[in-house]
Amino acid sequence: MSSSAPSRPAAATAEWWRQAVVYQIYPRSFADSNGDGLGDLPGILSRVDYLAGLGVDAVWLSPFYPSALADGGYDVADYRDVDPRLGTLADFDALTQALHARGIKVVVDIVPNHTSDLHVWFQEALQAGRGSAARERYIFREGRGEDGSEPPTDWVSTFGGPAWERVADGQWYFHHFAREQPDLNWDNREVHEEFLTTLRFWADRGVDGFRIDVAHLLTKDLSEPLPSKAELSAMPIDGRHPLFDRDEVQEIYAEWRALFNEYDPPRTAVAEAWVHPDRVPRYAHPDSLGQAFNFDLLLADFDADMFRQVIDHNLDLASRSGSSTTWVLSNHDVVRHATRYGLPPVGTLADAAERVDGEPEERAGAAWLLSRGASPELDREGGICRARAATLLLLGLPGSAYLYQGEELGLHEVAEIADDQRQDPTFFRTEGAEIGRDGCRVPLPWTAEGPSLGFGSAAPHLPQPAWFAASAVEVESDDPASTLTLYRQALHLRRELQCGEELAWEQTGRDDVLSFRRPNGWRVVTNFGTQPYPLPAGEVLIASGPVGNGILPAQTTVWLAPQAS
Ligand code: NOJ
């Protein structure tokens, strides 16, 4: 199969996103053009042909804005600029142009729940003092106790440690995440106007879509008396919870949708919303953001029953909103799926959810999956085999597929990062109890040699393990059996095969084998089991492992061509 990109008919339509393959780039770890150890926008520009050859429809750039990197760039100091270490606005424009020239759409990350503490607004708030308009943009409160030295509540932040931080004049501010990420006050109209300006700024620059960070957290009811942590966690999350998924957050997105629809084609958005599944369609509705992430596969084992439940449930949710669903196996917040599938199974989806303490946000990543990333029980080869099968199944599903940089190389999580090289605030705020998300953010290996395996000319900002060399792009490019070759071929075939957004399950006679058919007759069969399965009749288009002699081996997916009737 050639690595040149075929035409992208869907790219021309307003609904390009419905079944798009979106490739997530974590810019600081993709490619470093200037030898400072940090990936940058010119680095991405130098790799656009790689992205086109891979066959992706869109690129989602995690934050590249000025940031002190207290949370890997999700602490934004200026929403309408590029971090000077990552380039300039002119570099951004050049990158957008180069991607568009190859038919690849551009999605940027918007972080509206909190700013960086270095944002000019927060600096003004610190200077301006109590009762000022500048403090009204954030959530400041007096402390408890006679001298106010106790935080307003005993709430715990998502990254561990207290959710309130005291400033010099004695007031406290609220932060869902790290203390360098003060939450904005979405009851303040100025905050709304600021984000409308930001969205327009990027949309005018040609950005095609937005990924909305923690979209369910923006609005809060912090009227007194504030509940305790225990009271808070006993409250149902039904649209009226003080902190999560409040009904009125949709008013913000209705306003954003009106802005998106002023553009031709309308700008798209996808919500990162960790909410009850029944409430996902609110965010995915065409009057709201239009699409929402479905993270259920991050919780599932490589297990036929779990996959089928997740697929059925999410196709149903998508049809309720009129959107298409989004499939995700890896991202910058969770242990890479090759590693998850190399670890002992979870049990059931309910077990996975129950075994995790804390907020839903933590379920897939920070709580226990991460602690397993360093497990001695890791079966590296088995993990990759299952990851390849799961990916090929996912790419056969209706809806859009979100891929995370490096998964196309079959990369494992990097567990061996020394404590003094870790960057993730979860590691520091839990005093090392959670190792954090650095292991999936290690810079990509492009070549088998060199100071940072082709990432750049200097040591990378997170250390690459020696075993990364064997998975370098240059190594895998020449190997017909590599995971990179599998992704390239699958993405190109998918573009030719993609059709209506339906799926019909077929009988397989085995609980551990799933088979479905798409409207054009394209069939996807996955053997999740440990025993071979008779290969169904039909022309084999691609398989995640060696198929032959009428056998679909254990833990393998195959695509079968539509049959002429
Ligand atoms: C979700 C992002 O995916 C994660 O990386 C970040 O730490 C939090 N939101 C806070 O912005």
Side-chain angles (χ1 to χ4, degrees), residues 22-27 29 60-63 71-72 74 109 159 211-214 270-274 292-299 326-341 360-366 369-370 391 394 401-408 411-414 424 436-442 444 462 487:
V22 184
Y23 182 88
Q24 181 190 357
I25 292 185
Y26 190 73
S29 298
W60 150 29
L61 299 168
S62 278
D71 180 22
Y74 284 88
D109 220 309
F159 290 159
R211 177 261 187 195
I212 310 303
D213 191 64
V214 288
V270 57
E272 188 215 16
W274 294 85
F293 278 119
N294 137 33
F295 290 131
D296 292 354
L297 290 178
L298 302 180
L299 288 175
T326 55
W327 305 109
V328 184
L329 287 168
S330 281
N331 65 30
H332 66 298
D333 287 333
V334 298
V335 170
R336 286 186 177 278
H337 66 286
T339 302
R340 294 204 309 274
Y341 296 149
E361 170 91 14
E362 293 175 327
R363 290 187 315 192
L369 279 176
L370 283 173
T391 298
L394 170 140
Y402 280 75
L403 309 180
Y404 176 54
Q405 68 178 43
E407 68 167 85
E408 76 277 21
L411 288 184
H412 270 287
E413 188 80 0
V414 180
D424 189 345
R437 301 160 294 178
D438 297 318
C440 62
R441 300 174 177 184
V442 173
L444 290 192
L462 280 169
Y487 271 69

Side-chain angles (χ1 to χ4, degrees), residues 90-104:
D91 291 328
F92 179 83
D93 293 341
L95 177 59
T96 303
Q97 204 178 24
L99 289 167
H100 283 168
R102 287 159 183 79
I104 299 175

Side-chain angles (χ1 to χ4, degrees), residues 26 69-74 158-160 177-178 180-181 332-335 365-367 370 413 417-441 461-462:
Y26 190 73
L69 302 185
D71 180 22
Y74 284 88
T158 302
F159 290 159
F177 296 93
E180 297 88 349
Q181 294 167 294
H332 66 298
D333 287 333
V334 298
V335 170
L370 283 173
E413 188 80 0
I417 300 175
D419 289 359
D420 62 359
Q421 289 183 301
R422 291 210 169 266
Q423 299 175 6
D424 189 345
T426 56
F427 177 75
F428 301 108
R429 292 186 64 87
T430 62
E431 291 169 356
E434 288 182 26
I435 61 173
R437 301 160 294 178
D438 297 318
C440 62
R441 300 174 177 184
H461 66 102
L462 280 169

Side-chain angles (χ1 to χ4, degrees), residues 143-165:
R144 287 174 302 164
E146 263 176 35
D147 54 357
S149 62
E150 301 276 315
T153 66
D154 61 348
W155 300 348
V156 174
S157 87
T158 302
F159 290 159
W164 298 92
E165 184 75 15

Side-chain angles (χ1 to χ4, degrees), residues 255-299:
E255 209 172 6
W256 291 13
R257 173 49 54 198
L259 183 152
F260 297 152
N261 288 351
E262 285 173 28
Y263 290 84
D264 181 22
R267 299 320 191 222
T268 68
V270 57
E272 188 215 16
W274 294 85
V275 298
H276 188 281
D278 286 342
R279 294 179 59 88
V280 170
R282 292 171 171 253
Y283 295 81
H285 195 274
D287 295 338
S288 179
L289 291 172
Q291 207 180 31
F293 278 119
N294 137 33
F295 290 131
D296 292 354
L297 290 178
L298 302 180
L299 288 175

